[in-house]
Amino acid sequence: MSSLTNILYFQAGLGILANTFLLCFYTFTILCHRSKPMDLTSCQLTLAHILFLLAGGDNWLAVILESLNIENDFKCKAIFYTNRVMRGFSICITCLLSVFQAVTISPHTSLLAKFKHKLKTYIIYAVFYIWFYNFLVCSHLLVYVGGFNNVSETNQMRVTESCSLFLMNYIISGLIFTVTTFRDVFLVGVMLITNAYIVIILFRHQRHCKHLHSIRHLRVSPEKRATQTILLLMVFFVVMYWVEIIISSTSLLLWMYDPGFLTVQKLIVTVYPTITPLVQISSDKRVINVLKNLQSKCQQIF
Protein backbone atom coordinates (compact mmCIF):
# COMPACT_ATOMS: atom_id res chain seq x y z
CA MET A 1 0.00 0.00 0.00
CA SER A 2 2.80 2.42 0.95
CA SER A 3 4.67 1.60 -2.27
CA LEU A 4 1.59 2.45 -4.35
CA THR A 5 1.23 5.73 -2.45
CA ASN A 6 4.87 6.59 -3.09
CA ILE A 7 4.43 5.85 -6.80
CA LEU A 8 1.33 8.07 -6.83
CA TYR A 9 3.18 10.98 -5.23
CA PHE A 10 6.16 10.57 -7.57
CA GLN A 11 3.87 10.42 -10.61
CA ALA A 12 1.83 13.44 -9.55
CA GLY A 13 4.97 15.40 -8.64
CA LEU A 14 6.52 14.68 -12.02
CA GLY A 15 3.30 15.74 -13.74
CA ILE A 16 3.10 18.99 -11.79
CA LEU A 17 6.72 19.89 -12.59
CA ALA A 18 6.34 19.12 -16.30
CA ASN A 19 3.02 20.96 -16.58
CA THR A 20 4.37 23.96 -14.66
CA PHE A 21 7.32 24.21 -17.05
CA LEU A 22 4.96 24.05 -20.05
CA LEU A 23 2.62 26.61 -18.48
CA CYS A 24 5.51 29.06 -18.05
CA PHE A 25 6.68 28.37 -21.61
CA TYR A 26 3.25 28.89 -23.18
CA THR A 27 2.56 32.00 -21.08
CA PHE A 28 5.90 33.57 -22.06
CA THR A 29 5.35 32.61 -25.71
CA ILE A 30 1.84 34.08 -25.82
CA LEU A 31 2.82 37.34 -24.09
CA CYS A 32 6.23 37.99 -25.63
CA HIS A 33 6.46 36.15 -28.91
CA ARG A 34 4.44 35.18 -31.91
CA SER A 35 2.47 32.21 -30.68
CA LYS A 36 0.70 29.48 -32.58
CA PRO A 37 -3.12 29.39 -32.55
CA MET A 38 -3.05 26.17 -30.51
CA ASP A 39 -0.80 27.60 -27.77
CA LEU A 40 -3.63 29.32 -25.87
CA THR A 41 -5.60 26.09 -25.66
CA SER A 42 -2.54 24.06 -24.70
CA CYS A 43 -1.71 26.62 -22.01
CA GLN A 44 -5.12 26.21 -20.38
CA LEU A 45 -4.86 22.43 -20.63
CA THR A 46 -1.59 22.48 -18.68
CA LEU A 47 -3.18 24.74 -16.04
CA ALA A 48 -6.12 22.32 -15.73
CA HIS A 49 -3.72 19.40 -15.35
CA ILE A 50 -1.79 21.17 -12.57
CA LEU A 51 -4.99 21.83 -10.61
CA PHE A 52 -6.22 18.30 -11.32
CA LEU A 53 -3.02 16.76 -9.95
CA LEU A 54 -3.06 19.06 -6.90
CA ALA A 55 -6.68 18.10 -6.17
CA GLY A 56 -6.16 14.39 -6.82
CA GLY A 57 -8.05 13.02 -3.84
CA ASP A 58 -5.95 13.68 -0.70
CA ASN A 59 -2.86 15.20 -2.28
CA TRP A 60 -1.16 18.61 -1.96
CA LEU A 61 -4.29 20.75 -2.16
CA ALA A 62 -5.60 19.04 0.97
CA VAL A 63 -2.32 19.76 2.78
CA ILE A 64 -2.44 23.41 1.70
CA LEU A 65 -6.02 23.82 2.94
CA GLU A 66 -5.23 22.07 6.22
CA SER A 67 -2.27 24.39 6.81
CA LEU A 68 -4.69 27.33 6.44
CA ASN A 69 -6.95 25.80 9.13
CA ILE A 70 -9.82 25.39 6.65
CA GLU A 71 -12.65 23.29 8.07
CA ASN A 72 -12.93 19.74 6.78
CA ASP A 73 -16.32 20.14 5.08
CA PHE A 74 -15.19 23.09 2.95
CA LYS A 75 -11.87 21.34 2.23
CA CYS A 76 -13.65 18.25 0.85
CA LYS A 77 -15.99 20.33 -1.32
CA ALA A 78 -13.09 22.38 -2.72
CA ILE A 79 -10.94 19.33 -3.48
CA PHE A 80 -13.58 17.22 -5.22
CA TYR A 81 -15.19 20.12 -7.06
CA THR A 82 -11.80 21.25 -8.41
CA ASN A 83 -10.88 17.68 -9.31
CA ARG A 84 -14.06 16.96 -11.28
CA VAL A 85 -14.14 20.37 -13.01
CA MET A 86 -10.55 19.95 -14.17
CA ARG A 87 -11.22 16.38 -15.29
CA GLY A 88 -14.19 17.52 -17.37
CA PHE A 89 -12.22 20.46 -18.72
CA SER A 90 -9.37 18.14 -19.69
CA ILE A 91 -11.54 15.83 -21.79
CA CYS A 92 -13.27 18.83 -23.45
CA ILE A 93 -10.00 20.58 -24.32
CA THR A 94 -8.44 17.32 -25.54
CA CYS A 95 -11.40 16.91 -27.88
CA LEU A 96 -11.08 20.55 -28.96
CA LEU A 97 -7.40 20.05 -29.81
CA SER A 98 -8.32 17.03 -31.90
CA VAL A 99 -10.95 19.01 -33.82
CA PHE A 100 -8.54 21.94 -34.22
CA GLN A 101 -5.88 19.71 -35.74
CA ALA A 102 -8.40 18.06 -38.08
CA VAL A 103 -9.47 21.48 -39.38
CA THR A 104 -5.86 22.68 -39.65
CA ILE A 105 -4.65 19.83 -41.87
CA SER A 106 -7.87 19.51 -43.90
CA PRO A 107 -7.39 20.15 -47.65
CA HIS A 108 -8.78 23.32 -49.25
CA THR A 109 -11.46 21.33 -51.04
CA SER A 110 -13.01 19.93 -47.85
CA LEU A 111 -15.99 21.33 -45.94
CA LEU A 112 -13.77 22.06 -42.91
CA ALA A 113 -11.55 24.44 -44.91
CA LYS A 114 -14.03 27.32 -44.56
CA PHE A 115 -13.49 27.35 -40.78
CA LYS A 116 -9.72 27.84 -40.99
CA HIS A 117 -9.68 31.65 -41.22
CA LYS A 118 -11.89 32.04 -38.12
CA LEU A 119 -10.52 29.09 -36.18
CA LYS A 120 -8.78 31.16 -33.49
CA THR A 121 -12.00 33.11 -32.76
CA TYR A 122 -14.02 29.91 -32.55
CA ILE A 123 -11.52 28.38 -30.15
CA ILE A 124 -11.69 31.37 -27.76
CA TYR A 125 -15.49 31.14 -27.62
CA ALA A 126 -15.32 27.36 -27.22
CA VAL A 127 -12.87 27.58 -24.29
CA PHE A 128 -15.10 30.08 -22.42
CA TYR A 129 -18.11 27.82 -22.98
CA ILE A 130 -16.17 24.76 -21.78
CA TRP A 131 -15.16 26.49 -18.53
CA PHE A 132 -18.75 27.61 -17.86
CA TYR A 133 -20.22 24.21 -18.76
CA ASN A 134 -17.93 22.23 -16.45
CA PHE A 135 -18.38 24.66 -13.56
CA LEU A 136 -22.14 24.17 -13.92
CA VAL A 137 -22.21 20.39 -14.45
CA CYS A 138 -20.04 19.70 -11.38
CA SER A 139 -21.92 22.08 -9.08
CA HIS A 140 -23.81 19.18 -7.44
CA LEU A 141 -20.57 18.23 -5.66
CA LEU A 142 -20.84 21.41 -3.59
CA VAL A 143 -23.96 19.88 -2.03
CA TYR A 144 -23.37 16.11 -2.04
CA VAL A 145 -19.73 16.03 -0.92
CA GLY A 146 -18.62 16.87 2.60
CA GLY A 147 -16.62 15.82 5.63
CA PHE A 148 -17.05 12.23 6.82
CA ASN A 149 -19.03 11.71 10.02
CA ASN A 150 -20.20 8.66 11.96
CA VAL A 151 -23.79 9.84 12.42
CA SER A 152 -25.36 7.92 9.54
CA GLU A 153 -22.89 5.81 7.59
CA THR A 154 -25.63 4.24 5.45
CA ASN A 155 -26.36 7.58 3.74
CA GLN A 156 -22.76 8.31 2.83
CA MET A 157 -19.87 6.59 1.08
CA ARG A 158 -16.43 7.30 2.45
CA VAL A 159 -14.25 8.23 -0.53
CA THR A 160 -11.14 9.35 1.41
CA GLU A 161 -10.08 9.21 5.04
CA SER A 162 -11.89 12.46 5.84
CA CYS A 163 -14.38 13.02 2.98
CA SER A 164 -17.59 11.30 1.95
CA LEU A 165 -20.13 11.29 -0.86
CA PHE A 166 -23.71 11.65 0.39
CA LEU A 167 -26.53 9.52 -0.98
CA MET A 168 -28.50 11.33 -3.71
CA ASN A 169 -32.07 11.18 -4.83
CA TYR A 170 -32.53 8.67 -7.66
CA ILE A 171 -33.82 11.35 -10.04
CA ILE A 172 -30.92 13.71 -9.34
CA SER A 173 -28.29 10.97 -9.55
CA GLY A 174 -29.87 9.65 -12.76
CA LEU A 175 -29.88 13.13 -14.30
CA ILE A 176 -26.26 13.77 -13.35
CA PHE A 177 -25.20 10.35 -14.64
CA THR A 178 -27.04 10.92 -17.94
CA VAL A 179 -25.52 14.38 -18.52
CA THR A 180 -21.95 13.37 -17.69
CA THR A 181 -22.16 10.08 -19.60
CA PHE A 182 -23.60 11.80 -22.67
CA ARG A 183 -20.84 14.43 -22.50
CA ASP A 184 -18.07 11.87 -22.20
CA VAL A 185 -19.41 9.47 -24.84
CA PHE A 186 -20.05 12.34 -27.24
CA LEU A 187 -16.57 13.81 -26.80
CA VAL A 188 -14.83 10.45 -27.07
CA GLY A 189 -16.89 9.75 -30.21
CA VAL A 190 -15.84 13.09 -31.72
CA MET A 191 -12.20 12.33 -30.91
CA LEU A 192 -12.41 8.92 -32.58
CA ILE A 193 -14.02 10.40 -35.71
CA THR A 194 -11.52 13.26 -35.99
CA ASN A 195 -8.61 10.88 -35.36
CA ALA A 196 -9.84 8.59 -38.13
CA TYR A 197 -10.13 11.62 -40.43
CA ILE A 198 -6.61 12.78 -39.50
CA VAL A 199 -5.17 9.32 -40.19
CA ILE A 200 -6.82 9.26 -43.62
CA ILE A 201 -5.46 12.73 -44.49
CA LEU A 202 -1.95 11.78 -43.33
CA PHE A 203 -2.05 8.53 -45.30
CA ARG A 204 -3.10 10.35 -48.49
CA HIS A 205 -0.46 13.04 -47.97
CA GLN A 206 2.31 10.53 -47.38
CA ARG A 207 1.32 8.49 -50.43
CA HIS A 208 1.30 11.67 -52.53
CA CYS A 209 4.76 12.70 -51.26
CA LYS A 210 6.19 9.26 -51.97
CA HIS A 211 4.89 9.52 -55.48
CA LEU A 212 6.62 12.87 -56.07
CA HIS A 213 9.88 12.40 -54.18
CA SER A 214 12.17 9.63 -53.06
CA ILE A 215 11.71 8.45 -49.48
CA ARG A 216 15.16 9.61 -48.36
CA HIS A 217 14.32 13.23 -49.22
CA LEU A 218 11.11 13.22 -47.17
CA ARG A 219 11.10 15.40 -44.07
CA VAL A 220 8.55 15.39 -41.30
CA SER A 221 6.69 18.71 -41.43
CA PRO A 222 5.75 20.58 -38.21
CA GLU A 223 2.06 20.00 -39.01
CA LYS A 224 2.61 16.26 -39.36
CA ARG A 225 4.66 16.15 -36.15
CA ALA A 226 1.94 18.01 -34.24
CA THR A 227 -0.71 15.72 -35.72
CA GLN A 228 1.19 12.59 -34.68
CA THR A 229 1.54 14.00 -31.15
CA ILE A 230 -2.17 14.70 -30.86
CA LEU A 231 -3.02 11.25 -32.26
CA LEU A 232 -0.79 9.65 -29.63
CA LEU A 233 -2.41 11.68 -26.85
CA MET A 234 -5.91 10.88 -28.10
CA VAL A 235 -5.34 7.13 -28.16
CA PHE A 236 -3.68 7.20 -24.73
CA PHE A 237 -6.46 9.36 -23.30
CA VAL A 238 -9.28 7.12 -24.57
CA VAL A 239 -7.67 3.98 -23.12
CA MET A 240 -6.98 5.56 -19.71
CA TYR A 241 -10.43 7.16 -19.64
CA TRP A 242 -12.34 3.91 -20.10
CA VAL A 243 -10.18 2.08 -17.55
CA GLU A 244 -10.94 4.85 -15.03
CA ILE A 245 -14.66 4.69 -15.87
CA ILE A 246 -14.76 0.95 -15.14
CA ILE A 247 -12.98 1.37 -11.80
CA SER A 248 -15.06 4.36 -10.61
CA SER A 249 -18.34 2.71 -11.70
CA THR A 250 -17.43 -0.44 -9.78
CA SER A 251 -16.70 1.63 -6.67
CA LEU A 252 -20.06 3.42 -6.91
CA LEU A 253 -22.01 0.20 -7.51
CA LEU A 254 -20.39 -1.50 -4.52
CA TRP A 255 -20.92 1.72 -2.46
CA MET A 256 -17.84 1.06 -0.36
CA TYR A 257 -14.52 2.68 0.52
CA ASP A 258 -11.28 0.79 0.03
CA PRO A 259 -7.97 2.70 0.38
CA GLY A 260 -6.07 0.37 -1.95
CA PHE A 261 -8.81 0.55 -4.56
CA LEU A 262 -8.84 4.35 -4.32
CA THR A 263 -5.05 4.57 -4.68
CA VAL A 264 -5.12 2.43 -7.84
CA GLN A 265 -7.89 4.64 -9.25
CA LYS A 266 -5.88 7.80 -8.54
CA LEU A 267 -2.81 6.23 -10.14
CA ILE A 268 -4.75 5.63 -13.34
CA VAL A 269 -6.46 9.03 -13.54
CA THR A 270 -3.18 10.90 -13.01
CA VAL A 271 -1.36 9.04 -15.81
CA TYR A 272 -2.78 11.18 -18.63
CA PRO A 273 -2.03 14.63 -17.09
CA THR A 274 1.47 13.36 -16.28
CA ILE A 275 2.28 11.86 -19.69
CA THR A 276 0.75 14.70 -21.76
CA PRO A 277 3.33 17.43 -20.94
CA LEU A 278 6.21 14.97 -21.43
CA VAL A 279 4.93 14.10 -24.91
CA GLN A 280 4.39 17.78 -25.73
CA ILE A 281 7.89 18.72 -24.54
CA SER A 282 9.53 15.94 -26.58
CA SER A 283 7.60 16.80 -29.76
CA ASP A 284 7.69 20.62 -29.77
CA LYS A 285 10.89 21.95 -31.37
CA ARG A 286 10.48 25.32 -29.63
CA VAL A 287 10.55 23.67 -26.20
CA ILE A 288 13.50 21.46 -27.19
CA ASN A 289 15.46 24.54 -28.33
CA VAL A 290 14.74 26.28 -25.03
CA LEU A 291 15.98 23.25 -23.08
CA LYS A 292 19.12 23.07 -25.24
CA ASN A 293 19.83 26.77 -24.63
CA LEU A 294 19.37 26.30 -20.88
CA GLN A 295 21.68 23.29 -20.93
CA SER A 296 24.40 25.18 -22.82
CA LYS A 297 24.16 28.15 -20.42
CA CYS A 298 24.42 25.84 -17.40
CA GLN A 299 27.51 24.19 -18.89
CA GLN A 300 29.10 27.60 -19.41
CA ILE A 301 28.42 28.59 -15.80
CA PHE A 302 29.72 25.37 -14.27
Side-chain angles (χ1 to χ4, degrees), residues 3-44:
S3 60
L4 282 177
T5 305
N6 292 333
I7 294 173
L8 172 64
Y9 275 92
F10 172 79
Q11 181 175 288
L14 178 63
I16 290 173
L17 288 175
N19 279 291
T20 303
F21 171 77
L22 268 186
L23 179 64
C24 295
F25 171 78
Y26 284 131
T27 303
F28 180 77
T29 302
I30 292 170
L31 295 177
C32 303
H33 293 279
R34 187 177 180 182
S35 61
K36 296 181 179 179
M38 201 164 53
D39 286 347
L40 179 62
T41 308
S42 298
C43 180
Q44 296 191 61

Side-chain angles (χ1 to χ4, degrees), residues 161-189:
E161 292 182 359
S162 57
C163 301
S164 60
L165 177 66
F166 301 121
L167 190 64
M168 304 180 194
N169 182 282
Y170 287 111
I171 298 176
I172 297 175
S173 60
L175 180 62
I176 294 170
F177 177 80
T178 302
V179 171
T180 54
T181 303
F182 175 78
R183 177 200 65 186
D184 294 349
V185 171
F186 173 76
L187 292 175
V188 171

Side-chain angles (χ1 to χ4, degrees), residues 44-56 61 78-94 130-131 134-135 138 141 183 237 272-273:
Q44 296 191 61
L45 181 62
T46 57
L47 175 62
H49 284 166
I50 292 171
L51 294 174
F52 179 81
L53 291 168
L54 285 174
L61 185 59
I79 290 173
F80 280 89
Y81 182 68
T82 303
N83 183 276
R84 301 313 289 182
V85 168
M86 295 306 124
R87 178 189 175 277
F89 184 80
S90 178
I91 184 175
C92 292
I93 289 296
T94 303
I130 288 170
W131 277 114
N134 285 287
F135 279 133
C138 300
L141 293 173
R183 177 200 65 186
F237 175 83
Y272 178 72

Side-chain angles (χ1 to χ4, degrees), residues 196-207:
Y197 176 77
I198 289 171
V199 170
I200 293 171
I201 295 297
L202 284 179
F203 177 76
R204 289 178 178 175
H205 177 71
Q206 189 172 10
R207 187 174 59 181

